[in-house]
Amino acid sequence: MRRWTGAGLLTVVVGAGAWAQSPETLEAVRLHRAEARSLARQDLQSCMSSKCPDAGRIALLAGTLALAEGDVAEARTLLTGASVAEPLQPYLAYYQGQAHFYAGDAAAAAEAFGRAVDKGPAALTSRARARLGESLLAAGKAKEAAPALETAATEEPSAELLYQRAQARRATGNATGEHADLKAVALRYPTHPYADEALAALEARKPALKLTLGEHLQRARGLLEAGAAKRTLEELEKAEAAKLARTKQDKAQVALVRAQALYATGKREEAEQALAVARQGPPAVAAEAAYVTARRALKSDNTKARELMASVEKTWPKESVADDAGFYVGWLDLQEGHFEEAVKSFTAFDQRHARSRKRDEAMWYRALAHIRLEQYGKAREVLGTLADTFSRSSLVPQARYWAARSQELEGAKADVTGPAYETVITTAPNSYYALLASERLRALGRQPPAKFPEAPKHLETGEVPPELKLAVALTGAGLFRDAAEEVQARTSRIRNQEQAMTFAHALLRLGEYGHAHAVAARHLWGRAFGARVPEALAAFYPRAFANAVESEATRYQVSPFLVWAIMRRESAFRPEVASAADARGLMQVIPPTARAIAKKLSEPEPAPAELFSPSLSIRYGAWYLSQLMKRFSHPALAAAAYNAGPDAAVKWVKEKGALPLDLFVEEIPFRETRGYVKQVLADLYLYQSFYGKEAATQRLSLTVPSPATEGVSF
């Protein structure tokens, strides 16, 4: 199988020698390596010495890298004197604007951004227009800024653009529009610095703005969701100081938000007092307050939590939280090993919540309780109902697997269970349950059917779609962020599978693995997992950043296939991804874990922004996975520890490690981690089967090993 890099595509598309940047420079830029800027400088010096025609394009790259590192003076020098061909001219203008703006020359920045708006493609124009408005505003030309900011803030509203548009609207006499923008900033983005400035501006007006109780609550909830609990309490105090909470219902709503903020600041007794007030409010507020109390109990006392959940469901059966509470009753019975009670609870849930979106899941857990009671016939009856009633549910593959497994546990012969396991493989070949079914068949002495007749295959010939030619040019110039935005704009217009296939493979050759995967997920699912077309599979299971992954996997003695499986689950191959928990980059490493890894490797602590570097993310992810495998000796446990932490994985093994792997995974108490482990295992073994060189098939052990006492614990 031929491997492709961004530089490799350029050679294929436009001919060897057409691009002046070295492959080493382009790869260093793509992977955000520290040496990228110095390599670009060397390329520029070499080009200038030989008087090559591409000095301007290399200067553009070197200038953008200088900007990224905060060296505005060098960036301005490099970019101001550069000259590039037509496709790159708007991008040169845009980065000239950036350099001028950060050098304090807002007027020159506005002139450059204006050129980018006039000549740029749609993907660049929206960015450039926003910067044009900002520059004109900074240059004291608010009226001239107004048209650009009107469009920019309408297309992509953000705290910055809305606030800037408010300033421009004030300058043009649009007081109503200014008021609307300032209020939007204050309410929608309560944690943004501009929110306080917006509030101050509104309060300075005559008459001064006075927020309603609902608006104070909106800000308070936004602050709470952002983790700013103290500021949440301050916001509620403002509402109370203004005597806005007049009715019993008002006071209950305020008390509910206050209770959650007090819990977050560790003031448990005060929080419980607030919840007592909230429970005296109208049914919707009272039910939610009781549900918050029940959820809190889950942290320490499952028995108490079950009692409280049952009370919520019984007391407020028509409120939305009753659905969740009723489900938790059965789930807690199952977790505590009260399987007979779990069957009763989930049966009652099915009867009481006939329209619940959790009915299929409730059926599954009822079946699992029957399996744990060794009531295999009853389990199959429920599993059959699940598969028939919810034929499109994601739970159907596991229903089929456990129906077959229950037959085997009941003593059925291979000629009965074998075909049932084969059905799981043929109907859901990419699933965790197909992997389990394959292992069960091998244990029965039967060869499982091939999940996929052919391994992923690249389309190595064919024209690059005309829509992607600008992205190719940007990639050749090392402007990977700009290329990604251009790709995003173009792929959003794909309308059919043939076009999607062509785009996906062009993107793979560009090194845009995340976009290729996204195109495949949207348009090629049936081709990959229904028709099993190898060219479609290639976009779902790319060997992304192959050189870096294989190098770091070799260095730290961990399977590159495990690295890819984790990367696929964590970021879908997109380096720019950040999670709500502040996990960053391809391997979604959080800053505290990065600091701990750096300490183990005797390296300087990376800044949080550095975790978006593919190179660093892959290296830290590979090292961490190697340590998890050393401690846990099984990819399922390593995946569980990667997602939930080593301490949680150790605890689960102590509690239920005697179960076979399939049951152990089903009883992982965290929903997210259960799904995570299943997908990582499925992807790991698919990667191995597609790209592994070993003659023998890699087997999944169905026995849960005991973790080592010593080893990575963060």
Side-chain angles (χ1 to χ4, degrees):
M1 182 69 66
R2 185 173 180 178
R3 294 174 192 162
W4 295 90
T5 65
L9 172 66
L10 299 172
T11 300
V12 172
V13 172
V14 299
W19 302 93
Q21 282 96 337
S22 66
E24 292 78 12
T25 300
L26 289 175
E27 181 156 340
V29 175
R30 182 185 289 283
L31 296 177
H32 299 196
R33 286 180 175 152
E35 66 270 22
R37 186 180 172 192
S38 63
L39 288 173
R41 282 174 175 162
Q42 292 171 21
D43 285 347
L44 181 58
Q45 290 171 358
S46 176
C47 181
M48 293 177 70
S49 297
S50 62
K51 297 182 179 179
C52 82
D54 291 318
R57 186 160 47 75
I58 303 175
L60 171 57
L61 174 60
T64 60
L65 293 173
L67 265 178
E69 294 186 14
D71 191 342
V72 176
E74 179 172 329
R76 200 177 188 192
T77 299
L78 289 167
L79 295 168
T80 300
S83 176
V84 296
E86 169 61 30
L88 299 178
Q89 286 176 4
Y91 293 89
L92 174 61
Y94 178 82
Y95 287 109
Q96 286 173 340
Q98 294 279 71
H100 290 314
F101 186 87
Y102 292 116
D105 191 344
E111 190 277 331
F113 287 129
R115 285 187 279 113
V117 170
D118 290 341
K119 297 183 178 181
L124 176 66
T125 298
S126 59
R127 270 195 286 152
R129 185 179 290 110
R131 299 292 283 142
L132 170 62
E134 182 180 9
S135 299
L136 288 168
L137 204 60
K141 300 178 180 179
K143 290 184 179 179
E144 293 179 37
L149 290 171
E150 284 292 341
T151 302
T154 300
E155 289 179 345
E156 294 184 24
S158 65
E160 293 86 353
L161 285 174
L162 289 170
Y163 187 77
Q164 290 162 6
R165 188 172 70 178
Q167 293 176 293
R169 284 178 164 179
R170 180 173 67 247
T172 57
N174 183 356
T176 302
E178 177 201 4
H179 181 276
D181 280 347
L182 291 174
K183 195 168 184 180
V185 172
L187 296 180
R188 294 183 206 168
Y189 310 97
T191 59
H192 196 282
Y194 278 150
D196 292 334
E197 293 188 32
L199 274 179
L202 288 167
E203 289 169 355
R205 292 171 61 113
K206 293 183 180 180
L209 168 75
K210 293 183 179 180
L211 296 182
T212 66
L213 177 62
E215 289 166 343
H216 277 294
L217 286 171
Q218 181 181 345
R219 278 179 52 80
R221 292 187 183 106
L223 290 164
L224 186 61
E225 289 173 6
K230 291 183 179 179
R231 291 193 61 193
T232 302
L233 293 171
E234 292 170 2
E235 190 68 32
L236 296 175
E237 287 170 7
K238 290 178 183 177
E240 293 193 324
K243 298 182 179 180
L244 296 176
R246 299 184 180 92
T247 68
K248 187 175 182 180
Q249 178 176 347
D250 292 342
K251 292 175 182 178
Q253 287 181 312
V254 171
L256 178 59
V257 179
R258 176 183 286 113
Q260 293 166 301
L262 288 167
Y263 275 129
T265 56
K267 298 178 180 178
R268 179 179 172 181
E269 290 185 10
E270 292 180 50
E272 290 175 353
Q273 291 171 7
L275 281 179
V277 174
R279 282 195 291 270
Q280 300 306 309
V285 177
E288 190 173 350
Y291 184 64
V292 168
T293 302
R295 287 293 301 268
R296 293 285 303 177
L298 286 171
K299 297 178 181 293
S300 58
D301 187 343
N302 281 356
T303 301
K304 182 66 174 177
R306 186 198 185 282
E307 176 187 329
L308 292 171
M309 290 291 182
S311 176
V312 170
E313 185 187 27
K314 181 179 179 180
T315 308
W316 296 281
K318 295 182 179 180
E319 300 301 327
S320 60
V321 293
D323 191 8
D324 289 336
F327 186 87
Y328 262 120
V329 170
W331 167 248
L332 288 166
D333 286 337
L334 194 66
Q335 283 294 299
E336 292 298 297
H338 303 153
F339 302 120
E340 291 182 358
E341 290 300 313
V343 169
K344 294 177 184 177
S345 297
F346 281 120
T347 301
F349 177 90
D350 192 56
Q351 294 168 348
R352 285 197 284 262
H353 301 278
R355 297 182 179 180
S356 171
R357 289 178 294 179
K358 295 185 177 182
R359 279 190 67 210
D360 57 342
E361 196 172 1
M363 284 185 183
W364 152 244
Y365 283 123
R366 182 171 20 139
L368 180 58
H370 281 306
I371 290 170
R372 299 290 267 122
L373 290 167
E374 299 183 3
Q375 297 171 348
Y376 301 121
K378 291 182 178 179
R380 286 196 297 279
E381 182 180 341
V382 177
L383 292 169
T385 301
L386 191 166
D388 291 341
T389 306
F390 302 99
S391 59
R392 300 180 66 120
S393 170
S394 62
L395 300 177
V396 169
Q398 73 191 72
R400 287 176 174 156
Y401 168 80
W402 282 106
R405 179 68 179 138
S406 69
Q407 288 180 311
E408 185 177 6
L409 290 168
E410 204 171 35
K413 301 296 184 181
D415 60 346
V416 174
T417 59
Y421 284 134
E422 289 170 358
T423 297
V424 176
I425 297 169
T426 56
T427 56
N430 59 315
S431 71
Y432 162 72
Y433 294 97
L435 172 63
L436 290 178
S438 296
E439 291 300 333
R440 294 297 177 192
L441 284 170
R442 292 188 183 101
L444 293 172
R446 297 169 68 107
Q447 183 63 29
K451 296 184 182 73
F452 298 96
E454 296 182 64
K457 182 180 178 181
H458 284 272
L459 293 173
E460 298 187 5
T461 60
E463 292 289 327
V464 171
E467 299 92 336
L468 290 180
K469 287 188 176 179
L470 176 57
V472 171
L474 291 166
T475 298
L479 303 181
F480 293 109
R481 176 176 177 264
D482 298 289
E485 292 196 0
E486 175 65 14
V487 164
Q488 178 66 34
R490 297 295 181 174
T491 56
S492 65
R493 302 171 194 170
I494 293 173
R495 294 293 177 264
N496 58 64
Q497 292 184 348
E498 293 304 322
Q499 188 184 20
M501 188 77 82
T502 302
F503 261 68
H505 281 270
L507 292 169
L508 289 174
R509 297 194 295 271
L510 267 174
E512 290 290 346
Y513 308 105
H515 287 299
H517 183 274
V519 168
R522 185 180 303 170
H523 299 284
L524 301 176
W525 188 272
R527 287 222 179 168
F529 306 119
R532 295 171 170 78
V533 175
E535 289 82 2
L537 286 172
F540 282 97
Y541 300 97
R543 286 182 290 181
F545 306 95
N547 291 340
V549 168
E550 290 173 355
S551 173
E552 300 301 346
T554 299
R555 180 193 302 192
Y556 296 120
Q557 298 181 322
V558 66
S559 166
F561 307 125
L562 181 57
V563 176
W564 277 313
I566 293 287
M567 186 188 298
R568 186 175 190 268
R569 176 61 181 81
E570 289 285 353
S571 66
F573 313 111
R574 295 174 297 161
E576 75 283 1
V577 171
S579 76
D582 203 26
R584 299 166 178 238
L586 288 170
M587 303 297 286
Q588 289 290 276
V589 179
I590 60 174
T593 298
R595 291 193 290 270
I597 293 172
K599 185 175 181 180
K600 290 287 186 181
L601 295 175
S602 302
E603 295 179 356
E605 292 184 359
E610 293 180 73
L611 298 179
F612 291 112
S613 159
S615 180
L616 185 66
S617 188
I618 290 167
R619 187 157 63 84
Y620 278 15
W623 180 87
Y624 189 53
L625 283 171
S626 74
Q627 301 306 305
L628 292 176
M629 284 299 294
K630 286 178 183 177
R631 183 170 187 192
F632 291 98
S633 306
H634 196 293
L637 301 182
Y642 198 98
N643 179 258
D647 290 347
V650 168
K651 179 176 182 288
W652 297 334
V653 174
K654 285 181 179 178
E655 291 173 349
K656 299 191 177 182
L659 295 173
L661 181 75
D662 51 7
L663 275 177
F664 173 82
V665 171
E666 301 295 4
E667 296 196 22
I668 290 174
F670 295 173
R671 179 192 183 100
E672 179 188 328
T673 305
R674 282 196 308 278
Y676 186 96
V677 170
K678 291 174 184 181
Q679 184 175 330
V680 167
L681 285 178
D683 292 348
L684 166 61
Y685 282 85
L686 282 175
Y687 265 109
Q688 286 181 171
S689 68
F690 291 152
Y691 304 117
K693 297 178 181 178
E694 297 86 353
T697 301
Q698 292 291 311
R699 299 291 299 272
L700 171 68
S701 172
L702 297 179
T703 300
V704 180
S706 297
T709 304
E710 302 295 326
V712 65
S713 60
F714 57 84

